[in-house]
Structure formats: C-alpha cells, structure tokens
Amino acid sequence: MIGMQNLPQFKNPKNVRMRASVLLEPFGHGGPAVLIDTSPDFRRQALQFFPQKNPRLDAILITHTHADHIHGLDDIRPFNFYQKQTLPLYAEPHYLEQIEIKFSYIFMPTQEGGGKPKLGLHPVEKEAFFLTECADPLLHKIKITPLPLIHGGISCMGYRLRNIAYLTDCSYISDETIAKMKGLDLLILDCLRPKPHTTHLHVDLALDYARRIGAKKTVFTHMSHELEYETFKKSLPRGMVPAFDGMKFRFE
Ligand SMILES: [Zn+2]
Ligand SMILES: [Zn+2]
C-alpha cells in the first residue's frame, strides 16, 4: 500500500506537518514555558522539541476548542507529575466550559489510575493579564494580551507576549485587534490554502493582514498540503515565510 508519506512533496521534511501550536519561553530555552494549544500531536511535539534535560511546562493558553487544538490535553500529565504542580490553563469562559465537557473525567472525582491532568481553569477576557497563577514567580510579571479573532461563526483567541503574536484559526481580524499588534518582531499567522475558505485565512487575505499588521517578520502556519513549503516560500515577499515543524526563533 502506498501511504501519503510516499508522495513526492513529503520527501522534504518541511512538508510533513503536525498540528499547529507554539511554545514560548520568555526567559530562554529551558526556562519557564508557556504553551499555546495542546494539539493532538502534543505528546510527540513535547518529546521532539522540548529540552531533553528537565523539560517543563508552566502555563497553557487555549485559542479555541476545535479538536486539532486541544485533543492532546491529557498528555500534560507528566509535567504535573514531575513539577508537582497544578497547571494554569487560560481560555475564553465559553471555551473553559467546553473543556469541562470534553474532558469531564479530569474534573470528576473518578479513579486516578495513571493520573489525570491537574488543571486550574482561568477565564480570558478582552483585557491584558499577567500569568500570576503560575507556580514560578518569574512568570508573574509576564503580560499576555488577548487578541480576539473571528473563526467563521465562532471566536478564536490570539495572544501577544512581548513582541510576538500568535494568531491561528481566523477568517477576520478586527481593526481593534490589529491596533493591539503595534511594534511586533514576530507575527505567526493563519494561512490555510490558496483558495478562499469560510473559517480560515487564505494566502491573499493572510498577506493582506500581514502587511497591515506590519511585523518585522511574519510566519504563516496551519497550512494545508496544498501549500508546498519551497514553492510557497519562493512566492512570498521579504520578511514573510512559511512555518515548519520545530521552527525556532530567539530574541534578545
Ligand atoms: Zn479551528
Ligand atoms: Zn485549527
């Protein structure tokens, strides 16, 4: 049987994509870590991309509760176990309710077996907030700016930490949200495919928003396989690139 992995475009590992998510380490690699979305690939992503020595996780920000963004939530258990901490999880109030339904066993006094995730749920409203619920006091001074987005008929939350903004899964970005992204060094932006889509940005629209937001560098993410890495990269203007699994950026 010929699997998808044998198709010519997958010869380039940059075209083999796990689900979208990002890890922010405000004090450098190996320090306190803030994860945006627990994708169904989270376990593999953690094994592959987290520091080999003393990997850690300190907070989780959720953009929305589509399966491709939260279905790896159960795999945060090792971090609870090794760090002996409850992890704060931040999301819009209606998405916290969704998490309590989809992962009801976490919040019920059922048997523990191999352990259940230990989560503290914290609502994200429109206003910026600090990660004061984290066990590590270093993170208490880290400010997160929520960036409300429209994802077809539902909401999705983008997040800004210092000079970086992560905006996945959106079809419309309001002027109010754009105004919160002045002076970005890095924008990570949804860009699903060449043709328009009802719930995601397509290439032309993503480029349009990227220009309006005006980050020093824009990285496109959540791409379908209609966007071949090298071809897409060559088509993009200066300062804009497609993402690939394991892509890293470092800021002083
Ligand atoms: Zn979605
Ligand atoms: Zn998605």
Side-chain angles (χ1 to χ4, degrees), residues 61-62 89-93 96 122-127 129 144-147 157-159:
L61 306 174
I62 296 292
L89 179 148
Y90 302 83
E92 286 181 88
L96 292 181
H122 304 284
V124 170
E125 309 286 353
K126 275 189 164 181
E127 302 76 35
F129 60 96
I144 304 291
T145 305
L147 304 166
M157 197 55 92
Y159 294 100

Side-chain angles (χ1 to χ4, degrees), residues 22-231:
V22 69
L23 187 72
L24 304 167
E25 297 172 299
F27 303 96
H29 192 47
V34 180
L35 178 70
I36 307 186
D37 288 341
T38 54
S39 92
D41 293 313
F42 171 63
R43 181 175 173 275
R44 254 191 78 194
Q45 289 165 332
L47 288 168
Q48 207 170 326
F49 304 120
F50 278 42
Q52 298 274 305
K53 218 177 149 191
N54 303 324
R56 60 184 283 177
L57 186 58
D58 296 82
I60 302 164
L61 306 174
I62 296 292
T63 60
H64 66 308
T65 53
H66 277 160
D68 56 326
H69 296 264
I70 63 159
H71 276 201
L73 185 59
D74 192 76
D75 286 316
I76 64 151
R77 286 177 294 127
F79 297 99
N80 292 135
F81 183 72
Y82 288 113
Q83 290 169 222
K84 297 182 176 46
Q85 289 161 8
T86 293
L87 272 177
L89 179 148
Y90 302 83
E92 286 181 88
H94 60 282
Y95 287 139
L96 292 181
E97 280 171 29
Q98 283 287 311
I99 288 169
E100 286 179 287
I101 295 167
K102 289 180 193 232
F103 296 90
S104 58
Y105 67 94
I106 294 178
F107 308 98
M108 280 180 201
T110 54
Q111 64 169 12
E112 290 262 338
K116 293 194 290 185
K118 292 187 179 14
L119 288 170
L121 304 185
H122 304 284
V124 170
E125 309 286 353
K126 275 189 164 181
E127 302 76 35
F129 60 96
F130 290 84
L131 296 174
T132 48
E133 286 82 10
C134 292
D136 190 330
L138 263 182
L139 284 168
H140 296 181
K141 54 187 177 206
I142 294 296
K143 183 171 129 182
I144 304 291
T145 305
L147 304 166
L149 306 167
I150 300 294
H151 179 23
I154 66 166
S155 69
C156 179
M157 197 55 92
Y159 294 100
R160 175 176 186 163
L161 192 163
R162 290 183 185 147
N163 52 354
I164 298 164
Y166 182 71
L167 274 62
T168 188
D169 291 48
C170 56
S171 46
Y172 172 77
I173 310 170
S174 69
D175 291 345
E176 201 184 333
T177 292
I178 292 174
K180 291 178 180 172
M181 288 188 279
K182 290 201 171 83
L184 285 183
D185 283 326
L186 178 64
L187 166 69
I188 304 164
L189 183 63
D190 184 25
C191 181
L192 186 73
R193 65 179 192 186
K195 271 192 302 185
H197 191 272
T198 50
T199 64
H200 284 270
L201 299 182
H202 66 291
V203 174
D204 287 347
L205 196 50
L207 281 164
D208 225 51
Y209 277 123
R211 284 192 194 101
R212 282 178 62 194
I213 295 164
K216 279 188 194 147
K217 191 169 195 103
T218 299
V219 172
F220 295 112
T221 188
H222 211 299
M223 294 170 291
S224 84
H225 288 109
E226 287 170 58
L227 290 172
E228 196 282 322
Y229 179 82
E230 295 298 340
T231 317

